[in-house]
Amino acid sequence: MNMKAYVLSMLGMLVVVAAPVQAADKNPAPAVELSEAGKALESKYTAIQTALKAELERAIPKLAKLAAWQQAILAEEGPEKEATAKAREVARLQGAEGRLRDLEDQLKYAPQTLEDAQENLARARARGEEDPERMKVLQSAESFLKSRQGDIDRLKAAIEKAKVEVEEAKVKLPEAIKAAETAKQVHEKALAATWKAMDAVGVSGLLSSNSLDAKLAQYIILKEATPKGLADFAQQSTENQKLVDQLFADKDLMLQMLVADGASGGKYGQAMKIYTDIQKASSKAKEGVYQRLAMAISLAHAELMRMVIQGGVAEWSKDPASFKYIDPVQRYLNFEKWYKAGEIQKGFKNLNVWNLRRVVDCGSPDEMLVWARQMLHTLRPDCIPDDDDTMGFVPFVDHEIAYGSGGLVNDLPDKHFMQNILANGGICGRRGFFCRFILQAFGVPAIERVEPGHSTVALWHPSGWKTVLGGDFGKSNRGRYSKMGGGGGGYGADVNFVASAKAREDETAYLKVKRAQWIGTLMGEAWKPGLIIIKPSQIVAPTTWSDIALHEQRRINAQLDAAKPKSSADPERRQERTAGRHRQGERRCQRCHHHPIGRVQQSDREQESPL
């Protein structure tokens, strides 16, 4: 059976019909005008917020020696850049053999892609002379064949160049390693001076203490939810009012919410209701991974999540009356069932709430997540790792989702969006959507990551977050940073997200970061997601407490790096093989910078709408 026929047979496994149990069919309720009781609640919450702010401001010490700390940061920039440059040179030399293997792997696909282009040209020539589209199609097919041959020629040249680089690397690597180690030591000395100056500012004791946690948590929730927003929720029933009171009385629950970046849309009342409903629905949701799962769903779905439905993007209704939404309680129950049945990846049990949010925010209905696992077990069981190496799922997308947009005209309205991608392929956007969908179906946290002109995916791995279907984290060769898209949590540049994810590995130390951020909010500072901004020309106002938080995060990550030297078992080589076809032997298309040799359809002109 050919691939197209097999894919179509897989689609027959499920025609998605939104089941009532999995869809909140009611539209989000419009904003409710506060009743007299609601206005009284708003006044109550406002008074609490005002009192908390005054009390906390009295407890926050005056900062000292800020200028010396800022000077130390500036003095560190030179050694940091030098250490980074030397480390990159070592990585480049060490990666020479891997890049050569990637290119040689790509060349294996060359006969297939050339054959595809030749067959396409033959079909064009077979059109009748009377066909008005014949010349246009023929010219397109000839151009396509020429481009394929050009790709292959460039690939062969790149392989010869890579062979030379491998030999050069053998000579240069020993000295490069020495130079990198020297630069690293100089930078570490500068870092130590930064930490010493930071401690002299006089906030270490405050950030290490939990004495203000309950009051800070209450204030931040009131700030993000707003007194009116909480009153709107609380006035709707006596039960809702009790839920708000219970939340404010539970310090640990508030902290868990806030450390995980809070309720979506600031809807803490709704998050508390979902969490309570899950507790009622399952006795297991009170501890361990089940409790963290319940919390992640409550926070991610505090704002109703619209369901991704049948057809392609063009078929999506813009009429709110037709929208369907994910049922958060049912999503919890399903993930609990799937986890107990062993259908979820092995590392799921160790995920914190922050990471679990990036699993459960999938917009596809739960029956589609079931279909995804069934499909992969049937079509490519070799792409389901038997350990927690989540990179093992990615080759399915790389090899089985056709690259190109010629097949989009074949999208079927009675099939789910993801099923149409499997059958008809797509360029970066659709491939990225499908990759994230497959990962989340198996319990892997995944996020859209947007490079300039190209959509990629970031995913959780036990050794740290990784990127696939594109370049690595950090500044590109063009000097620009990628940004986190859907599920990214407002972190802006991808390196800001990665820095936060890494620091969270030390849960106790990371509380220092959050406390400093909460104090910054208390002091009226704007949210600052990280030390890196997307646009170099962007002006960022000084944010003392936010900067303290982010540099405390740097210190945590430096300590984690020192405690956990990089292992040879790290999956970088697997990632290089997976992403290599997207970074080497490329041909740029109109929408993205990556066009690998592989399963490629004729047309690469595609207008996509973001999910």
Side-chain angles (χ1 to χ4, degrees):
M1 181 182 295
N2 63 37
M3 179 58 68
K4 181 74 172 180
Y6 188 73
V7 167
L8 290 175
S9 72
M10 291 301 300
L11 297 189
M13 292 170 59
L14 174 66
V15 176
V16 176
V17 178
V21 71
Q22 294 213 215
D25 290 327
K26 295 182 180 180
N27 295 322
V32 179
E33 290 295 328
L34 294 182
S35 63
E36 290 303 316
K39 291 177 181 178
L41 287 168
E42 181 184 16
S43 297
K44 171 186 173 183
Y45 297 144
T46 299
I48 294 173
Q49 182 182 21
T50 301
L52 284 169
K53 180 176 176 62
E55 183 177 354
L56 286 166
E57 285 178 341
R58 289 193 296 271
I60 305 302
K62 297 288 185 181
L63 301 181
K65 300 183 179 179
L66 282 173
W69 171 51
Q70 292 166 352
Q71 192 63 39
I73 293 173
L74 291 174
E76 185 201 330
E77 287 184 1
E80 181 183 27
K81 289 179 180 179
E82 181 70 8
T84 299
K86 297 297 184 184
R88 283 178 177 169
E89 176 63 9
V90 170
R92 186 186 70 81
L93 295 172
Q94 290 176 331
E97 290 186 1
R99 290 190 294 275
L100 176 59
R101 286 194 300 269
D102 287 336
L103 292 168
E104 291 172 339
D105 285 345
Q106 289 176 62
L107 192 58
K108 295 177 183 177
Y109 291 93
Q112 175 189 342
T113 57
L114 193 60
E115 182 181 339
D116 288 344
Q118 290 167 341
E119 290 177 356
N120 186 61
L121 180 58
R123 286 192 297 270
R125 287 173 174 166
R127 285 175 175 250
E129 292 289 343
E130 71 285 354
D131 189 338
E133 294 292 316
R134 184 177 186 275
M135 288 305 298
K136 180 179 178 181
V137 173
L138 187 59
Q139 289 174 356
S140 176
E142 289 173 344
S143 175
F144 185 59
L145 176 59
K146 183 179 179 180
S147 71
R148 295 294 86 194
Q149 185 61 60
D151 282 341
I152 293 170
D153 292 342
R154 285 188 292 273
L155 191 54
K156 289 179 179 178
I159 288 174
E160 294 306 312
K161 181 180 178 182
K163 289 178 180 178
V164 173
E165 291 175 349
V166 168
E167 295 305 314
E168 290 180 348
K170 292 177 182 178
V171 176
K172 295 179 179 179
L173 186 58
E175 287 302 317
I177 291 174
K178 291 180 182 178
E181 182 60 32
T182 299
K184 179 184 175 184
Q185 292 173 0
V186 172
H187 181 223
E188 287 175 346
K189 184 176 180 180
L191 269 178
T194 298
W195 307 146
K196 183 177 180 180
M198 184 172 168
D199 289 338
V201 172
V203 297
S204 296
L206 175 66
L207 299 184
S208 299
S209 171
N210 63 4
S211 60
L212 298 179
D213 281 357
K215 291 182 173 63
L216 278 171
Q218 287 180 349
Y219 177 81
I220 296 300
I221 288 175
L222 282 163
K223 178 76 174 178
E224 294 183 358
T226 74
K228 184 175 183 179
L230 281 178
D232 187 356
F233 172 80
Q235 74 173 357
Q236 295 175 33
S237 70
T238 302
E239 179 185 357
N240 282 8
Q241 187 173 343
K242 289 180 179 178
L243 287 174
V244 175
D245 293 341
Q246 290 170 13
L247 175 60
F248 283 146
D250 195 329
K251 169 187 169 183
D252 292 338
L253 200 64
M254 288 190 294
L255 290 176
Q256 188 180 39
M257 286 183 170
L258 292 174
V259 169
D261 288 351
S264 60
K267 295 185 177 297
Y268 286 89
Q270 290 83 342
M272 188 64 178
K273 186 177 188 309
I274 294 170
Y275 183 75
T276 303
D277 289 344
I278 291 174
Q279 299 292 317
K280 294 176 181 176
S282 172
S283 60
K284 287 185 171 293
K286 294 178 173 58
E287 59 184 12
V289 65
Y290 298 112
Q291 189 276 334
R292 298 195 301 275
L293 176 63
M295 178 56 72
I297 291 175
S298 302
L299 296 175
H301 292 261
E303 282 191 307
L304 287 177
M305 185 169 293
R306 185 181 171 189
M307 185 183 292
V308 178
I309 53 174
Q310 291 98 324
V313 173
E315 284 76 40
W316 287 16
S317 170
K318 296 181 180 179
D319 178 12
S322 68
F323 293 174
K324 294 184 181 294
Y325 299 88
I326 303 296
D327 181 335
V329 177
Q330 190 61 43
R331 172 144 293 185
Y332 169 84
L333 293 173
N334 282 330
F335 264 98
E336 179 187 289
K337 176 178 65 177
W338 300 334
Y339 176 71
K340 287 191 293 186
E343 299 177 25
I344 303 299
Q345 58 96 9
K346 299 293 192 297
F348 186 84
K349 64 180 181 296
N350 298 319
L351 295 176
N352 59 31
V353 176
W354 191 78
N355 281 322
L356 282 167
R357 290 183 71 154
R358 276 81 189 173
V359 175
V360 300
D361 66 350
C362 179
S364 294
D366 290 359
E367 60 265 29
M368 273 304 299
L369 300 181
V370 173
W371 175 86
R373 294 193 298 273
Q374 292 174 344
M375 178 275 298
L376 203 60
H377 275 287
T378 304
L379 182 58
R380 287 294 300 271
D382 57 304
C383 290
I384 302 175
D386 56 7
D387 55 14
D388 59 1
D389 184 2
T390 53
M391 292 291 287
F393 293 102
V394 179
F396 176 83
V397 177
D398 200 37
H399 294 294
E400 303 301 342
I401 305 300
Y403 192 102
S405 53
L408 269 63
V409 295
N410 299 317
D411 280 2
L412 300 174
D414 64 335
K415 302 299 181 184
H416 187 272
F417 180 53
M418 298 301 170
Q419 292 174 318
N420 279 320
I421 295 176
L422 177 61
N424 303 315
I427 59 169
C428 58
R430 284 171 56 117
R431 285 162 59 88
F433 298 152
F434 194 88
C435 182
R436 187 180 175 201
F437 162 67
I438 287 292
L439 290 166
Q440 291 180 313
F442 281 90
V444 181
I447 307 170
E448 179 189 17
R449 174 179 167 273
V450 183
E451 296 178 355
H454 183 58
S455 178
T456 73
V457 173
L459 74 153
W460 175 89
H461 188 277
S463 67
W465 278 77
K466 308 294 179 186
T467 65
V468 294
L469 307 182
D472 204 353
F473 293 118
K475 189 181 294 185
S476 70
N477 292 334
R478 297 180 177 185
R480 299 176 65 183
Y481 288 94
S482 298
K483 62 181 179 180
M484 305 309 290
Y491 281 85
D494 58 1
V495 289
N496 295 336
F497 176 89
V498 173
S500 179
K502 183 176 181 179
R504 292 167 187 272
E505 295 175 18
D506 188 336
E507 294 182 0
T508 300
Y510 189 71
L511 274 171
K512 298 178 184 178
V513 177
K514 299 306 291 187
R515 287 171 184 140
Q517 289 176 336
W518 298 335
I519 293 172
T521 299
L522 174 75
M523 298 300 182
E525 295 181 1
W527 159 248
K528 189 173 183 179
L531 294 172
I532 300 300
I533 56 178
I534 295 290
K535 298 178 181 178
S537 61
Q538 183 177 349
I539 303 299
V540 179
T543 51
T544 301
W545 284 97
S546 295
D547 284 335
I548 288 173
L550 294 171
H551 282 279
E552 192 64 58
Q553 181 172 275
R554 286 184 70 218
R555 172 154 47 183
I556 294 169
N557 287 337
Q559 292 169 344
L560 288 171
D561 285 340
K564 295 193 303 184
K566 190 172 182 179
S567 168
S568 59
D570 190 88
E572 293 295 341
R573 280 187 58 187
R574 180 196 288 270
Q575 184 184 8
E576 285 293 326
R577 291 196 299 271
T578 301
R581 286 169 54 211
H582 295 270
R583 294 199 300 267
Q584 308 290 340
E586 302 167 352
R587 184 173 76 84
R588 291 180 183 171
C589 70
Q590 289 185 346
R591 286 281 294 174
C592 56
H593 302 300
H594 304 286
H595 192 151
I597 288 182
R599 277 189 71 208
V600 183
Q601 296 174 345
Q602 177 181 355
S603 172
D604 58 11
R605 293 178 177 88
E606 179 177 6
Q607 297 299 319
E608 299 197 44
S609 299
L611 286 180

